[in-house]
Amino acid sequence: MSFSSKVKTELCRENPVQKKCCARAECYGVLLYCNTFSHREIRIITGSDSFAQRLPRLFKKAFGCSIEEQGEGSKHSFVMTDRAVIRQIFESYGYTPDSALQHHINLAVLEDDCCRAAFVRGAFLAGGSIMDPAKRYHLELVTDHATVSREAYSVLLEMGFAPKDISRNGHQVIYFKNSEAIEDLLTTIGAPVSAMEIMQAKVEKNMRNAVNRRVNCDSANADKVVSAAQAQLEAIRRIDRASGLGELPPRLQETALLRIANPEASLADLALLADPPVTKSCLSHRLRKLTEIAAALPREI
């Protein structure tokens, strides 16, 4: 099951159809974001089993009528063609179905906070989707009605959200890419568990990123240690070929032998191996001195 399907299942399971005003508001969101909402036909197609089970209860509570599922297939299709029932539905939202209709949102239907949340829930159930938060954060509402999309945008602003909008292939899209905004929206419309899953996914993603940064940092530091050690070994070999390590002062001779015996050791580890142990700064000074001695030798032919 996709994350989008899980969210829709939670919305339907955890938000029982109880108040008539909220049922009407949720139906409003469904109708304005469904496949067809005209004075001739209402058609709602969904792949969500939970939403398909919820629809008849919504319509019964909101309008006292039924909407039946038609046909078979991988998706559920609900169709209503009874003109008298459709007229009743249109009039409940202040529409005149027999006139030329440009859909818009009658804000009088969404006066209460609970009704606004129900409206957005219905819009998401009918025309919304959300990405798996393990991949990226993206929630969107898609409708064919430009005016509806603009007014839904304003409704979301009034609810305290700041969505973005775009026109895509003739469809009007309102979308969110901020994880906190998506979490808040899901909680508001009745899917707090899904909101928590996004929070958890974000924590896990941040932890993975932190581990990767640490690993990359450690790897880079290890590369630097190896590179520096190789340069020191090359300097020691040049001194050995030129005059022999026995000509070096005892401290430098000890340091050269330590580096030869421990070619991949860090400065801190080499400092502890010295007899007696010395500080990392002291050992670094000795190795730098060996490098300077090698650099001063005549160029080898």
Side-chain angles (χ1 to χ4, degrees):
M1 179 185 292
S2 68
F3 187 71
S4 193
S5 296
K6 288 173 64 177
V7 172
K8 292 183 179 183
T9 296
E10 182 185 359
L11 288 173
C12 294
R13 184 184 63 239
E14 301 300 328
N15 298 275
V17 182
Q18 294 178 333
K19 296 172 65 176
K20 184 173 182 178
C21 64
C22 290
R24 286 182 63 207
E26 187 172 330
C27 278
Y28 204 12
V30 169
L31 292 167
L32 292 175
Y33 277 81
C34 72
N35 302 82
T36 304
F37 179 37
S38 72
H39 63 275
R40 294 186 180 87
E41 178 185 71
I42 292 173
R43 182 179 296 271
I44 305 167
I45 300 174
T46 179
S48 170
D49 294 338
S50 298
F51 182 37
Q53 294 169 9
R54 183 179 182 82
L55 269 173
R57 297 198 301 272
L58 267 179
F59 272 75
K60 189 70 174 177
K61 186 71 175 181
F63 312 113
C65 67
S66 61
I67 183 168
E68 302 295 334
E69 183 172 357
Q70 296 185 1
E72 298 179 357
S74 59
K75 291 190 175 183
H76 305 275
S77 180
F78 293 83
V79 179
M80 180 181 291
T81 56
D82 187 316
R83 294 292 185 90
V85 176
I86 293 177
R87 175 184 289 276
Q88 174 195 346
I89 292 172
F90 269 68
E91 290 178 348
S92 71
Y93 295 123
Y95 293 153
T96 303
D98 293 329
S99 63
L101 177 66
Q102 180 183 33
H103 283 308
H104 66 90
I105 299 174
N106 182 353
L107 297 178
V109 180
L110 310 179
E111 289 184 344
D112 298 329
D113 291 343
C114 60
C115 293
R116 284 193 287 270
F119 172 82
V120 178
R121 179 167 60 246
F124 181 81
L125 288 170
S129 63
I130 182 171
M131 288 288 295
D132 184 340
K135 298 177 181 177
R136 63 190 179 101
Y137 309 121
H138 185 90
L139 181 150
E140 65 180 34
L141 303 172
V142 183
T143 181
D144 292 335
H145 311 298
T147 303
V148 168
S149 190
R150 287 195 300 271
E151 293 172 348
Y153 184 98
S154 298
V155 169
L156 286 165
L157 288 178
E158 290 181 6
M159 294 171 66
F161 298 100
K164 297 182 179 180
D165 60 339
I166 190 174
S167 178
R168 182 203 301 150
N169 299 325
H171 304 297
Q172 309 305 312
V173 183
I174 293 174
Y175 66 94
F176 295 85
K177 286 186 174 294
N178 179 275
S179 61
E180 287 83 2
I182 295 173
E183 293 161 11
D184 291 343
L185 182 65
L186 290 181
T187 300
T188 298
I189 66 176
V193 175
S194 297
M196 287 296 296
E197 286 191 39
I198 295 176
M199 295 179 197
Q200 182 63 33
K202 184 165 55 178
V203 169
E204 292 175 358
K205 191 179 298 184
N206 290 339
M207 288 180 63
R208 284 197 301 271
N209 290 339
V211 169
N212 289 337
R213 284 194 298 269
R214 180 62 184 271
V215 169
N216 291 338
C217 182
D218 290 347
S219 178
N221 289 337
D223 290 343
K224 289 180 182 178
V225 169
V226 171
S227 179
Q230 291 301 316
Q232 294 157 6
L233 284 169
E234 181 58 30
I236 292 168
R237 293 190 189 102
R238 285 195 66 193
I239 296 171
D240 191 29
R241 288 193 297 269
S243 57
L245 299 181
E247 297 299 318
L248 292 170
R251 299 289 174 80
L252 293 184
Q253 183 179 353
E254 178 196 19
T255 301
L257 293 173
L258 275 176
R259 175 48 85 194
I260 291 171
N262 303 276
E264 297 182 357
S266 66
L267 289 180
D269 291 338
L270 277 184
L272 292 175
L273 292 172
D275 186 19
V278 297
T279 65
K280 179 180 174 181
S281 176
C282 177
L283 192 78
S284 177
H285 174 76
R286 292 179 185 179
L287 287 168
R288 188 163 58 250
K289 186 65 177 176
L290 287 170
T291 302
E292 291 171 354
I293 292 172
L297 292 173
R299 185 178 296 276
E300 295 177 333
I301 301 177

